[in-house]
Amino acid sequence: MALLIYYNRIRNDPNEVAYQFGETRDNLDRVLTIDTTNNTARTDQPEDVIFRSAAGQIMLRAKREKAWPQNGVIAS
């Protein structure tokens, strides 16, 4: 199964960072929030493969770059 996920940071607080994300650049219709103190992600939407992939890749990129990314795309 191929995935294409776009994301854009909408909030960066001391304890949380939030991203809009979706399957097209023009339709970022979902939100995920990452607790930066314990690196856990949550959403008010279903926690499906798209959510888990977006959260995991954003956290991996943040760890690698030592900063929360502003935006990006995930293709797998």
Side-chain angles (χ1 to χ4, degrees), residues 8 19 45 48 62:
N8 187 46
Y19 289 89
Q45 306 280 327
D48 57 8

Side-chain angles (χ1 to χ4, degrees), residues 19-48:
Y19 289 89
Q20 288 179 308
F21 70 103
E23 295 180 66
T24 66
R25 188 181 311 263
D26 299 326
N27 191 23
L28 304 179
D29 59 345
R30 299 174 65 182
V31 174
L32 69 86
T33 304
I34 299 169
D35 181 325
T36 59
T37 59
N38 61 12
N39 281 336
T40 56
R42 68 180 187 282
T43 183
D44 293 337
Q45 306 280 327
E47 292 190 10
D48 57 8

